[in-house]
Amino acid sequence: MSDPMHLDFDLQLTPDGDGYLTRVLTSPAGQAQGVFRAPWTMQDYTRFLQQIAPTDLTLSRHERMDTIKSFGGRLFDALFAGPILVCLERSLDAAQRQNCTLRIKLRLNESPALLDQPWEYLYHAPRNFFLSQSSTSSLVYYLELPIPAPSLAVTLPLRMLVLIAAPADLPALDVEREWTNLQQALSPLIERGLVIVDRLPISTTAALQGALRRQEYHVLHFIGHGAYDEQNQEGMIMLTGEDGQGRALAAEDLARLLHNERTLRLILLNACESARTSLHNPFAGVAHALVQQGAPAVVAMRYPVSDAAAITFSHEFYAALADGYTVDGAITEARVAIATRLGNGEWGAPQLIMHAADGMLWQLRDLQTTEAIDGAVISRELSALTELMHSTAVRDRVAAYHADFRAACQQITILSNYKDLHDLLHKLQYRCYNVIAQEARRFPADELALDNLLNYEVTLQDITEQLQRAITRARLPASETAWIADIVSAQQSLRQALDNMETEALRRVVWLLRRVLALQPSHINHRLNAAARALRLATIIQSLGAILAELRQLSREVEQITHFEAGVDALRRFDEQLYALIDEHDQWQEVQRMLGRIEDVLVYDTSELEFSWPDLQQRVTALCGLQQGEWVNLFMQDSEQLDKAILTRNPVRIRSYFQRYRQRAGNRFYQVDLQLKELCTELRKVGESLAAILRVLE
């Protein structure tokens, strides 16, 4: 189920004598005003955290829950009283009537001391739910800043950078398990090509800066240790130095490092105390400093959590995002997972700080502006012809086009076979090879690596069998499929490596799979696109049109004829869209070749770019002129910057803007390629109805 729409409940707290003035600025029920006084001391809060910690075995699961409810209920009663409570109740009712979630936005800029209050545990006793765990409400910390966060429509694929820091001189964390869970949570999006996850090989400050300079990222995920400097009242995260020892990176320095990353939309700090801040400066903590410097949203931990809680949070958070949830909705899902699976109070540690207008920090927009194609619908409409063929006269007329139906089915089958191989190789890379290559670095010393490899041995065996069946079904020549022998050999070597704990055999597995994946996906992709170009839907559409004209004279079944006519019209539009996309694909592919040729020599000579630029610019401008979307505006801006750099003959700026321009072009080519494969999937569904007609004829 996707995330529902949201209504805002803006609640501002400002100092007022020995308490705080509370004001509802906007809500579905209007405005209200009240007073808040903390119902406990910080010592009480510290004692509470000790009681709900997973290491405290003095309380049963039910007793721990009663403690959390009692604590959260006192906080709720102190915050929501009088007119504020009435406003909240009416707003919750309004959200329920509209099937929306009430987003409670705490504005605490003028009350930094309240940032450390455990608002996540707010418990509504009469309705028996925690505000931060309910699908009817969500909780965010909204920071008011002079610069609003712009909405950003991401040009697919969405890119995530994962920074894992495990300094040798700090307590060990189960970072590899969290990395594996992160990949698994995102695997549906990764396999569809919508998300690309990069792991930084080393966790130094220089490596992070270099990665951000070379590539634009939308999400930064940090796994490691956080700390808070009591003396300087400043948060920090712990990276590693060149010697592998811990190196503190202060909040202000990290914020400065990320400040110029204009595409970065979400930062997740899976580190203890990354949300903690100063009682006087709301931007002293790492998370708050990042938001102050322009990050639209930051998720951080307000106190240390167990490995189990951190891993569960990451898995469920990203799984919910993959299902279309907003950031605050995804955090709610993660909190519920921790509460129900671990049974302790660690679900209150994650904290969402943001200054974006809403929780939808990115929109995975399909850049295709033409009509969406549903092959299943076309197939269903065309299938009306099989029902009409119970009439001998109709069947005899359709039989005249038997050869056209057979040719169309054969062409679609060829294309579908290449699509199967493409998808299986994609599955091999993202569901098998990436994990095997990762675990090979820790094998055989780490028992967890052995467990993971045993699991993925089964996955490799399954994919190998599927590939062999697909190759047999496609009847491809041996010269095109000799690479399957490498995958079979890799499967056998993996068995040998695990049976005998041989690192050399495992290295061979990685090498064999890498050799296949370095070449074959692009070869299969080329043949897939060639098969799409060779497809001649126009012939079968012409035949179907002729049949339709004769049906109006032969049959009185008006409803079935109407459905069949709708299917023919939809198939005609499908054909137009398919060939327009193939043409755009070929043009972007030529742009990629030109850019690749320029890139090969740009490091030492800019003349290739200077001479090629007029033709290149004209081609790309013409391609972009046919499209709409934010990506077009950004591409044209990059084009203007590169044009100015070429005119001023500035080599440094030329290389810098060229890399950004090349990335934009690559992203668009990637998107068109993805759309073409999606159309091939829909075409297979159309082919099912044509095959059904052919079976009736035979």
Side-chain angles (χ1 to χ4, degrees):
M1 183 177 68
S2 62
D3 206 14
M5 298 295 291
H6 287 76
L7 299 176
D8 285 340
F9 186 92
D10 275 301
L11 185 59
Q12 183 183 60
L13 285 82
T14 55
D16 184 40
D18 61 347
Y20 295 87
L21 177 66
T22 57
R23 295 176 58 206
V24 178
L25 303 180
T26 59
S27 81
Q31 293 77 42
Q33 187 169 308
V35 175
F36 169 77
R37 291 184 177 83
W40 54 64
T41 64
M42 290 307 295
Q43 288 79 8
D44 295 329
Y45 175 42
T46 302
R47 192 180 309 112
F48 166 72
L49 292 181
Q50 293 171 347
Q51 289 179 311
I52 66 173
T55 54
D56 189 320
L57 303 179
T58 60
L59 298 179
S60 68
R61 183 165 182 158
H62 290 294
E63 289 172 333
R64 183 178 288 115
M65 179 55 67
D66 288 342
T67 299
I68 296 173
K69 286 183 176 180
S70 174
F71 190 88
R74 290 167 59 194
L75 183 60
F76 180 92
D77 292 340
L79 181 62
F80 296 104
I84 300 290
L85 177 60
V86 172
C87 190
L88 175 69
E89 297 288 11
R90 291 176 177 173
S91 296
L92 287 170
D93 290 341
Q96 187 173 15
R97 286 194 301 271
Q98 299 178 46
N99 193 29
C100 293
T101 294
L102 188 68
R103 178 181 286 126
I104 300 171
K105 299 166 73 171
L106 293 177
R107 297 174 179 262
L108 305 176
N109 278 53
E110 299 179 37
S111 307
L114 295 181
L115 286 167
D116 276 340
Q117 291 290 327
W119 304 108
E120 286 74 19
Y121 295 104
L122 284 166
Y123 176 66
H124 194 322
R127 299 198 185 211
N128 190 28
F129 70 83
F130 292 95
L131 296 185
S132 66
Q133 270 195 43
S134 172
S135 61
T136 60
S137 62
S138 66
L139 183 71
V140 303
Y141 296 78
Y142 186 84
L143 294 188
E144 299 170 346
L145 297 171
I147 302 175
S151 176
L152 181 69
V154 172
T155 300
L156 297 177
L158 184 143
R159 291 184 175 272
M160 174 188 294
L161 178 64
V162 179
L163 173 61
I164 300 178
D169 57 337
L170 293 178
L173 300 172
D174 197 355
V175 294
E176 296 302 330
R177 185 181 294 275
E178 185 169 349
W179 165 241
T180 299
N181 276 274
L182 177 63
Q183 290 178 298
Q184 290 175 348
L186 289 169
S187 61
L189 293 177
I190 293 173
E191 288 181 25
R192 290 172 57 200
L194 300 179
V195 173
I196 295 175
V197 180
D198 296 331
R199 177 176 175 175
L200 198 61
I202 54 176
S203 55
T204 63
T205 305
L208 174 60
Q209 184 175 8
L212 294 172
R213 184 170 57 247
R214 290 187 297 271
Q215 179 68 60
E216 290 183 339
Y217 289 98
H218 309 108
V219 180
L220 173 64
H221 184 115
F222 172 75
I223 303 171
H225 289 277
Y228 190 79
D229 186 338
E230 295 284 359
Q231 182 176 354
N232 295 316
Q233 293 284 288
E234 186 175 30
M236 62 189 69
I237 61 172
M238 301 301 296
L239 299 184
T240 56
E242 298 297 337
D243 57 357
Q245 304 297 301
R247 292 291 184 274
L249 183 63
E252 186 175 347
D253 292 333
L254 178 61
R256 186 180 300 114
L257 186 63
L258 301 179
H259 172 70
N260 293 325
E261 303 307 315
R262 61 178 182 173
T263 61
L264 200 59
R265 310 311 293 155
L266 172 66
I267 301 170
L268 193 147
L269 303 171
N270 212 341
C272 57
E273 296 192 308
S274 52
R276 186 178 173 189
T277 188
S278 163
L279 295 180
H280 305 291
N281 179 5
F283 302 119
V286 178
H288 300 80
L290 292 173
V291 174
Q292 183 193 37
Q293 288 297 317
V298 178
V299 178
M301 300 297 169
R302 64 162 56 251
Y303 56 78
V305 296
S306 64
D307 278 354
I311 291 169
T312 301
F313 176 81
S314 287
H315 185 277
E316 292 304 317
F317 176 74
Y318 285 114
L321 284 183
D323 289 336
Y325 278 60
T326 58
V327 173
D328 48 328
I331 286 182
T332 296
E333 289 292 299
R335 286 194 182 113
V336 170
I338 295 173
T340 55
R341 298 175 198 175
L342 304 184
N344 57 50
E346 292 180 289
W347 55 265
Q351 189 178 33
L352 171 60
I353 306 101
M354 72 179 194
H355 77 105
D358 57 49
M360 193 61 71
L361 297 178
W362 58 77
Q363 298 173 6
L364 297 178
R365 281 187 191 162
D366 188 347
L367 298 182
Q368 183 174 321
T369 57
T370 52
E371 176 187 3
I373 295 295
D374 189 334
V377 173
I378 299 175
S379 180
R380 188 165 57 248
E381 301 285 22
L382 291 178
S383 294
L385 182 59
T386 60
E387 299 175 25
L388 291 167
M389 287 170 65
H390 68 269
S391 164
T392 302
V394 173
R395 188 167 56 252
D396 290 344
R397 294 303 175 93
V398 175
Y401 302 96
H402 179 277
D404 293 338
F405 279 100
R406 175 173 292 280
C409 288
Q410 289 175 344
Q411 291 173 339
I412 293 174
T413 297
I414 292 172
L415 188 145
S416 297
N417 288 335
Y418 281 124
K419 179 67 165 57
D420 286 341
L421 288 175
H422 175 276
D423 291 347
L424 285 170
L425 286 174
H426 201 71
K427 185 177 181 181
L428 175 67
Q429 177 166 358
Y430 290 105
R431 285 207 174 182
C432 197
Y433 168 75
N434 286 353
V435 177
I436 291 175
Q438 165 198 318
E439 301 299 342
R441 296 192 292 266
R442 303 188 294 131
F443 177 85
D446 193 324
E447 291 184 4
L448 177 60
L450 177 59
D451 290 342
N452 285 338
L453 288 170
L454 286 169
N455 290 332
Y456 282 93
E457 180 194 11
V458 177
T459 304
L460 178 58
Q461 180 180 353
D462 179 57
I463 294 174
T464 302
E465 292 173 355
Q466 291 181 54
L467 280 166
Q468 289 173 320
R469 287 196 297 270
I471 289 172
T472 301
R473 184 171 60 249
R475 298 178 182 178
L476 298 175
S479 59
E480 284 190 22
T481 59
W483 48 268
I484 191 65
D486 279 351
I487 298 179
V488 173
S489 179
Q491 180 189 336
Q492 296 168 348
S493 295
L494 182 57
R495 178 72 269 161
Q496 176 187 341
L498 298 179
D499 284 345
N500 304 318
M501 304 296 282
E502 294 181 13
T503 56
E504 196 59 33
L506 188 55
R507 287 182 58 205
R508 176 173 172 78
V509 172
V510 174
W511 175 73
L512 285 169
L513 294 179
R514 185 170 59 238
R515 184 166 72 170
V516 170
L517 293 171
L519 297 174
Q520 297 312 317
S522 61
H523 289 173
I524 297 296
N525 189 42
H526 176 74
R527 295 186 182 105
L528 173 63
N529 292 330
R533 291 187 197 91
L535 186 64
R536 294 292 179 263
L537 282 182
T539 301
I540 192 64
I541 291 172
Q542 184 177 4
S543 300
L544 292 172
I547 292 171
L548 177 62
E550 296 185 45
L551 282 176
R552 294 192 178 101
Q553 300 175 7
L554 294 172
S555 176
R556 295 181 180 180
E557 298 184 45
V558 177
E559 182 178 353
Q560 296 300 331
I561 293 175
T562 301
H563 282 297
F564 179 59
E565 182 177 14
V568 175
D569 289 341
L571 186 59
R572 187 176 292 108
R573 293 192 298 273
F574 185 114
D575 183 48
E576 292 170 356
Q577 184 170 325
L578 176 63
Y579 281 97
L581 199 57
I582 290 173
D583 181 63
E584 185 182 359
H585 178 279
D586 290 347
Q587 292 189 60
W588 279 111
Q589 192 167 50
E590 179 58 29
V591 169
Q592 289 296 101
R593 291 194 187 98
M594 295 176 68
L595 291 171
R597 187 177 68 248
I598 293 167
E599 189 175 42
D600 288 342
V601 298
L602 189 63
V603 66
Y604 53 85
D605 185 10
T606 63
S607 60
E608 179 67 28
L609 172 59
E610 293 171 10
F611 290 126
S612 302
W613 178 242
D615 180 33
L616 178 62
Q617 188 179 34
Q618 183 178 7
R619 285 173 180 265
V620 172
T621 300
L623 281 168
C624 291
L626 301 174
Q627 305 296 329
Q628 296 177 352
E630 182 64 19
W631 73 271
V632 176
N633 298 330
L634 293 173
F635 207 159
M636 291 299 95
Q637 290 174 16
D638 290 337
S639 178
E640 291 176 7
Q641 290 176 326
L642 179 55
D643 190 50
K644 291 177 182 177
I646 292 173
L647 289 174
T648 58
R649 300 286 183 90
N650 186 321
V652 175
R653 288 187 175 274
I654 287 175
R655 295 185 183 100
S656 175
Y657 289 129
F658 175 81
Q659 289 303 324
R660 187 181 298 276
Y661 187 87
R662 178 141 172 54
Q663 183 180 331
R664 297 275 186 211
N667 283 347
R668 179 56 191 172
F669 178 62
Y670 180 94
Q671 178 65 25
V672 172
D673 194 59
L674 182 64
Q675 290 175 9
L676 188 55
K677 291 179 180 61
E678 289 174 349
L679 277 187
C680 292
T681 299
E682 300 305 317
L683 185 61
R684 168 178 283 176
K685 300 173 186 176
V686 174
E688 292 171 0
S689 63
L690 299 180
I693 295 170
L694 191 61
R695 285 194 295 271
V696 174
L697 291 175
E698 297 177 343

